[in-house]
Amino acid sequence: MLEINNFSNEILQDISFKLDIDENLIVLGQNGAGKSTLAKVLCNLLSNPNVKLFDKNISSFDENTRTHLINYIPPKLEIFDEYITVFEYLEICAIGEIKKENIEEIITLLKLEHVKNRYCATLSSGEQQLLLLASALIHNAKITIFDELTANLDISRIKGVFDIFKSCKLEQKIIITHNLDLAYNLKYKILFLEEGRVKFFGSSEDFFTSKNLSEFYNDSIKFVDNHLVINL
């Protein structure tokens, strides 16, 4: 269970919501709405006494325990050694003991076999995003927060990511995205931020209505054959 109560800072204003242990969440909102700031607050990258994780204040956990419980996947791969390979990077991401064959399985799942011995610094932006997903699968925290994971992926890769998000390979997921069609078809709970405030928190069914899309996206989105597309 994840809960935040009446949190405010220079970007977010009076943020409160609660996720039960079996609920996944999509975080939506325009650029600058506070989505990434919220993610960092939830996983204690920005200190916050107003967040409870499994009924305990998140700041009460030591760093090792907290990393087992919640993991933040940033929008961009950050490496501190340009000569580290993909396989070596995934070994570092593992918490506790993990067999090399388990890493190989994840590399195969994400179709990264052709880059596993390449240096991370040489990967394309899309390959780096998939490596971030692989690191999340290796890490396997109780809650994983993805910040714009699909931003640089082509359509076929997005379908593969969608399938993983719909599977049980990760326990509980919070996904920040601008991809409304992905959000709509995942059917997760929705939180919509506007200028640092929660404007909607509830079910996917209640959020994805013509009225809400018109209000939140200024008639720029429409339904076509049960998908959301830009209304050009």
Side-chain angles (χ1 to χ4, degrees):
M1 183 194 72
L2 180 64
E3 183 177 1
I4 180 170
N5 289 302
N6 307 115
F7 176 78
S8 297
N9 63 7
E10 65 277 7
I11 295 174
L12 301 172
Q13 299 297 319
D14 196 27
I15 303 294
S16 296
F17 67 89
K18 177 181 175 182
L19 275 186
D20 290 331
I21 199 167
D22 60 343
E23 291 180 319
N24 298 306
L25 180 69
I26 296 282
V27 181
L28 300 174
Q30 308 296 337
N31 291 333
K35 301 184 298 297
S36 294
T37 299
L38 174 61
K40 293 172 184 177
V41 168
L42 292 177
C43 60
N44 208 50
L45 289 176
L46 294 176
S47 182
N48 175 18
N50 300 57
V51 173
K52 287 186 177 180
L53 190 60
F54 302 103
D55 295 319
K56 292 184 178 181
N57 190 292
I58 193 169
S59 60
S60 70
F61 295 106
D62 61 67
E63 184 175 352
N64 184 58
T65 301
R66 190 165 57 247
T67 56
H68 279 81
L69 295 176
I70 192 163
N71 182 25
Y72 172 68
I73 302 298
K76 184 178 179 181
L77 180 69
E78 297 178 0
I79 54 173
F80 300 98
D81 181 354
E82 61 182 315
Y83 297 111
I84 190 172
T85 68
V86 166
F87 196 93
E88 290 167 340
Y89 178 82
L90 293 177
E91 286 184 306
I92 293 170
C93 291
I95 294 180
E97 293 185 9
I98 186 167
K99 296 179 180 178
K100 288 190 175 182
E101 51 262 38
N102 298 130
I103 297 177
E104 293 282 4
E105 287 174 4
I106 290 172
I107 287 173
T108 300
L109 173 68
L110 297 178
K111 298 181 175 61
L112 290 172
E113 300 98 324
H114 63 295
V115 299
K116 74 174 184 179
N117 294 315
R118 278 174 48 187
Y119 297 132
C120 294
T122 69
L123 300 181
S124 70
S125 57
E127 289 166 342
Q128 289 181 9
Q129 298 303 100
L130 291 173
L131 182 56
L132 287 170
L133 176 56
S135 74
L137 292 166
I138 292 288
H139 189 107
N140 197 26
K142 294 292 184 183
I143 301 172
T144 306
I145 303 176
F146 292 96
D147 195 345
E148 291 293 351
L149 179 73
T150 62
N152 295 308
L153 298 182
D154 58 43
I155 293 173
S156 63
R157 290 295 201 175
I158 290 175
K159 174 61 168 67
V161 171
F162 172 82
D163 291 340
I164 290 173
F165 284 162
K166 289 291 284 185
S167 74
C168 298
K169 295 185 183 298
L170 290 164
E171 291 192 40
Q172 190 171 8
K173 299 160 286 271
I174 297 175
I175 300 170
I176 297 170
T177 186
H178 286 290
N179 189 326
L180 288 181
D181 196 46
L182 177 75
Y184 172 66
N185 284 283
L186 283 172
K187 309 300 182 190
Y188 293 174
K189 211 160 190 175
I190 302 290
L191 184 142
F192 186 91
L193 285 176
E194 184 177 280
E195 297 182 351
R197 296 182 180 274
V198 176
K199 291 296 183 178
F200 179 94
F201 178 67
S203 71
S204 177
E205 182 181 9
D206 288 340
F207 178 80
F208 285 106
T209 64
S210 296
K211 179 180 181 295
N212 282 339
L213 292 177
S214 176
E215 177 183 350
F216 295 137
Y217 292 98
N218 300 316
D219 296 313
S220 60
I221 300 294
K222 64 180 179 180
F223 285 102
V224 175
D225 297 329
N226 208 34
H227 288 277
L228 284 166
V229 299
I230 299 174
N231 187 20
L232 297 175

